[in-house]
Amino acid sequence: MSELTADTPQAGYASRSYRRMAILVGVGVLLLASFVFDCATGPGGYSLRTVAEVLADPFVHGARLKVIVWDYRIPVALTAVLVGAMLATAGAQMQTILNNPLAEPFTLGVSAAASFGASLAIVLGISILPAVGGLLVTLNSFLFALGTCAIILTATRLKGVGSETMILFGIAIFFTFSALLSLMQYMASEDQLARIVFWMMGSLSRASWEKIGLGAALLAVAVPFGLMRTWSMTALRMGEATAESMGVDVARLRIEMLISISLLAATAVSFVGAVGFVGLVGPHIARLLVGEDQRFFLPLSALVGALVLSLTSIISKSITPGVIYPIGIITALIGVPVFISIILTTRRERLS
């Protein structure tokens, strides 16, 4: 009877799997701690213990604290977690199907399109769908983001279009909508300009339980759907030709994933505005920790993205007491160094 030792391939595989599972659990615990700390951070000076008690029993410290924690702080903290997970999941799937570590909704112009859709509603009151009332800005943002993903999806069907061409295509979309957004800003009044800038910087203040329910439902569908395609996605990460030789229908897989990415990215941006680089940083950190095995890479990307945006929410409330800074500014400060490091790493790999 053979025994599993540290030198056998089976033992090595089991050891790696246990280590990756431990990393998933560890990041999950960090996310939970960050969520509780986010709920405890804010004006009022309530202690972590007091807030934890209100989380367990809403009325233990009276109705006032229940309203503060359950009607404001928890929706904001949960929205940060959900939006971070949605953006990172979309980024991880996008990087895999395009085989490019720089691909994410922000760099491919999806966020710029959503910002333009929002500004169109703010400045001109134009909506793609009529009679949407107070949802005009959010719905316009969602539809423009979804439309941009549909354009990228259509581009994948063009003959001879590779992953690098799609990245360049996304950059062209980014600059096009950025120019149109500048036009809207030029035409806007002082009040409208303030609303556009607020939208462009990203904010968690628009959090609501309805949005949380919608985002959670979407993630509950998208993540299991992605996990059902882990074998095909891992094969695709080894190269399109390799994946096809292993029986993967690459064209169909890309379309399925782009539909998932479209819904995740468009929903996230319509909830909180343009928040860049979370879809880049989350998958990049997850790849460093567990590699390209999609069984661990996809859920860890979601957890890391949620953790990054949860920590961003805490930082945005901690820099100046009583002031909540736009989260888009902080994610950009975190994301740009990572973005540059990826570019330099990719360049060194190609030169070596």
Side-chain angles (χ1 to χ4, degrees):
M1 181 178 173
S2 64
E3 294 184 358
L4 293 181
T5 66
D7 296 331
T8 63
Q10 295 90 339
Y13 176 78
S15 175
R16 284 195 300 274
S17 297
Y18 287 136
R19 187 182 69 83
R20 289 166 175 170
M21 191 61 71
I23 291 172
L24 272 174
V25 173
V27 175
V29 171
L30 286 176
L31 176 59
L32 181 61
S34 177
F35 170 76
V36 174
F37 196 71
D38 191 10
C39 291
T41 304
Y46 304 111
S47 67
L48 188 62
R49 180 178 178 179
T50 301
V51 173
E53 288 173 352
V54 175
L55 286 173
D57 183 357
F59 290 100
V60 67
H61 289 290
R64 182 170 175 271
L65 206 54
K66 180 263 176 187
V67 170
I68 292 173
V69 174
W70 279 88
D71 293 353
Y72 178 71
R73 293 191 181 182
I74 290 180
V76 169
L78 274 179
T79 300
V81 169
L82 288 173
V83 169
M86 284 192 284
L87 289 174
T89 302
Q93 292 177 335
M94 194 173 274
Q95 288 173 19
T96 301
I97 63 170
L98 297 181
N99 196 26
N100 192 312
L102 298 178
E104 64 128 348
F106 189 78
T107 57
L108 289 185
V110 177
S111 298
S115 297
F116 171 70
S119 67
L120 199 65
I122 292 170
V123 177
L124 302 178
I126 295 175
S127 172
I128 294 176
L129 292 179
V132 293
L135 295 174
L136 177 65
V137 176
T138 301
L139 195 60
N140 245 28
S141 169
F142 175 80
L143 291 174
F144 269 86
L146 196 63
T148 302
C149 291
I151 292 172
I152 297 172
L153 178 64
T154 305
T156 63
R157 309 300 301 272
L158 299 177
K159 190 175 181 180
V161 173
S163 59
E164 290 187 355
T165 307
M166 288 182 61
I167 295 291
L168 295 173
F169 197 66
I171 292 172
I173 293 174
F174 174 82
F175 280 109
T176 301
F177 280 111
S178 294
L180 292 171
L181 185 59
S182 298
L183 178 63
M184 287 294 107
Q185 289 177 287
Y186 184 78
M187 295 169 61
S189 65
E190 190 173 335
D191 178 59
Q192 291 168 339
L193 185 60
R195 291 178 62 192
I196 293 173
V197 170
F198 188 72
W199 182 274
M200 289 170 59
M201 290 182 177
S203 172
L204 293 169
S205 62
R206 292 184 284 267
S208 68
W209 283 107
E210 292 77 14
K211 291 179 179 177
I212 290 169
L214 180 60
L218 188 58
L219 269 179
V221 174
V223 172
F225 179 76
L227 289 174
M228 290 169 62
R229 303 289 186 275
T230 52
W231 184 86
S232 303
M233 296 283 276
T234 303
L236 182 59
R237 200 69 181 95
M238 292 186 285
E240 190 170 331
T242 305
E244 287 178 342
S245 69
M246 298 171 74
V248 176
D249 187 341
V250 174
R252 178 176 175 176
L253 180 64
R254 277 184 170 154
I255 291 172
E256 289 176 348
M257 289 299 109
L258 271 175
I259 291 172
S260 170
I261 292 164
S262 304
L263 292 172
L264 288 171
T267 304
V269 176
S270 66
F271 280 1
V272 300
V275 178
F277 298 109
V278 176
L280 182 74
V281 174
H284 185 64
I285 294 174
R287 189 174 290 111
L288 289 175
L289 292 174
V290 299
E292 295 289 352
D293 189 338
Q294 296 285 321
R295 295 173 300 168
F296 301 97
F297 171 65
L298 185 63
L300 186 60
S301 296
L303 286 175
V304 172
L307 179 61
V308 167
L309 208 55
S310 181
L311 292 173
T312 301
S313 173
I314 295 171
I315 294 170
S316 71
K317 292 185 283 188
S318 305
I319 297 173
T320 306
V323 177
I324 301 176
Y325 287 91
I327 53 173
I329 296 174
I330 299 166
T331 58
L333 289 174
I334 297 171
V336 168
V338 177
F339 189 75
I340 293 172
S341 71
I342 295 173
I343 293 174
L344 294 177
T345 303
T346 306
R347 184 178 174 80
R348 276 198 297 269
E349 287 175 354
R350 290 185 177 181
L351 289 175
S352 62

